[in-house]
Amino acid sequence: MAFPFSAIVGQEEMKLAILIAAVEPAIGGVLVFGDRGTGKSTAVRSLAALLPPMLAVAGCRYHCDPATLATSGGCEDCRALRSPPRTQKMPVPVVDLPLGATEDRVVGALDLEKALTQGVRSFEPGLLARAHRGFLYIDEVNLLEDHLVDLLIDVAASGENVVEREGLSVRHPARFVLVGSGNPEEGELRPQLLDRFGLSVEVRTPMDLAARVEVVKRRDAYERDPIGFAEHWKKEDAKVRRRVLTAREQLPATTVPDATLEAAARLAMALGTDGLRGELTLTRAARALAALDGDAEAGVPHLRRVAPAALRHRLRRDPLDESGSTERVERALAELFDTAA
């Protein structure tokens, strides 16, 4: 039984970033850097556990959504099943990607057992297929080989895994929320890869006495009686569930006015971010946050709340400015919008 999402003490920026990514997967994943033992993996598993079971096509190795078959045409497995296909309910998947995983295990490969015993050329899906419609979590992502990180971000952004090898040509859906975590003391991601993650958040060990005591108290209570602890937080988790599901429904109708787009552009220009990926992510995150808040349009207040997470990992290092990237984003926000107010 997963630790209740609502019972996680503090780490508000991390929790909000994961909620935003759960509402709008097109953001491109969340990077969580910080101290060990600060609830990074717990937050991902908790959010997945509180979401309602999803309806999937029975017999499909990619557990496709039956509601989208009419518009998408379905994957190869779905097309091979009878119509209409049987359906089944299953929990939202959370797949861990271990550091030693090979590319074959990640993207899938030729099923050697079938090839050797039956002489059949068949595709054996990998971890990307298992993560479809759920979460793919990578602990110590900064220690993962660069080409695998690049591959994962490509698939997360496109929502499709394409495998062309060993005489196989397979294309299957792979829409998931990518969450990578790591400790910066053990190595950094290359700037080119950092930029590919949609949001980046920092987590720190709580330095507030009351918060530390509360974390220990809740964790101890959970480990002594997981069922009772989950029951205690059931109502709060239900509120989070309704918030996410409502936001997903409202997201297509949530608008971003030109004034908000201009504000995002001015902020990116003030910070000197390369390209437009930062502004695009900032706009999408602000829209998802507006949907979470129940607002019809994304405004500057939404932009300000998500700007550090959307932009801090896209800043060039300034040898004349020793302040951290978060401080630089907050300073630019104050200069642009506090003065304007």
Side-chain angles (χ1 to χ4, degrees), residues 6-320:
S6 307
I8 297 173
V9 179
Q11 312 298 7
E12 300 301 332
E13 188 186 35
M14 174 181 68
K15 291 190 287 185
L16 181 60
I18 295 174
L19 286 174
I20 287 173
V23 171
E24 173 55 291
I27 281 172
V30 178
L31 183 63
V32 186
F33 260 155
D35 302 333
R36 298 187 194 87
T38 46
K40 298 188 288 287
S41 62
T42 298
V44 176
R45 296 179 203 291
S46 299
L47 181 60
L50 73 77
L51 295 174
M54 59 186 201
L55 197 62
V57 175
C60 171
R61 293 174 294 174
Y62 314 106
H63 33 83
C64 288
D65 183 355
T68 64
L69 291 184
T71 53
S72 68
C75 68
E76 187 177 330
D77 282 18
C78 292
R79 290 193 293 271
L81 296 170
R82 68 179 183 181
S83 182
R86 290 184 299 107
T87 60
Q88 62 180 7
K89 283 190 174 181
M90 60 178 291
V92 174
V94 178
V95 175
D96 285 288
L97 194 150
L99 282 181
T102 63
E103 186 169 334
D104 281 356
R105 187 178 176 196
V106 174
V107 303
L110 178 68
D111 187 333
L112 287 176
E113 183 176 349
K114 281 189 177 178
L116 294 173
T117 59
Q118 304 174 26
V120 176
R121 192 179 294 275
S122 173
F123 177 66
E124 183 176 11
L127 297 178
L128 296 181
R130 287 175 50 196
H132 180 46
R133 302 177 65 196
F135 294 79
L136 183 66
Y137 178 67
I138 317 165
D139 194 15
E140 308 296 355
V141 65
N142 46 330
L143 303 182
L144 196 66
E145 293 182 32
D146 283 354
H147 77 280
L148 278 181
V149 179
D150 213 20
L151 182 155
L152 290 168
I153 295 173
D154 276 342
V155 176
S158 68
E160 190 174 62
N161 180 32
V162 180
V163 183
E164 299 279 357
R165 59 175 62 181
E166 298 161 338
L168 292 171
S169 179
V170 178
R171 183 184 296 265
H172 70 76
R175 294 191 179 280
F176 51 83
V177 177
L178 177 65
V179 182
S181 70
N183 185 337
E185 294 177 357
E186 297 173 345
E188 296 182 350
L189 275 176
R190 286 190 293 114
Q192 296 90 330
L193 294 178
L194 272 176
D195 180 60
R196 301 291 305 280
F197 275 92
L199 303 177
S200 172
V201 298
E202 300 170 347
V203 291
R204 294 285 180 266
T205 303
M207 298 308 291
D208 176 73
L209 180 65
R212 294 176 76 108
V213 170
E214 192 60 29
V215 170
V216 173
K217 188 188 293 183
R218 291 185 187 180
R219 189 72 202 185
D220 183 56
Y222 166 73
E223 292 183 358
R224 290 168 58 190
D225 179 13
I227 297 176
F229 189 79
E231 184 65 26
H232 178 75
W233 288 93
K234 188 176 177 181
K235 286 186 178 178
E236 293 302 314
D237 266 6
K239 291 179 184 175
V240 177
R241 181 188 305 118
R242 285 196 296 273
R243 190 181 174 203
V244 172
L245 297 180
T246 302
R248 285 178 173 175
E249 291 176 1
Q250 293 184 347
L251 185 66
T254 305
T255 60
V256 183
D258 285 351
T260 305
L261 293 173
E262 290 173 9
R266 282 193 284 128
L267 179 60
M269 290 167 66
L271 289 167
T273 56
D274 293 330
L276 298 176
R277 189 173 285 148
E279 286 165 68
L280 184 60
T281 303
L282 180 57
T283 304
R284 286 174 173 168
R287 182 168 51 207
L289 177 58
L292 278 167
D293 287 349
D295 296 327
E297 66 177 34
V300 171
H302 301 107
L303 211 64
R304 295 188 67 155
R305 287 167 61 191
V306 297
L311 298 176
R312 65 160 60 93
H313 55 305
R314 297 187 163 94
L315 304 189
R316 290 182 179 177
R317 288 181 179 168
D318 184 350
L320 301 179

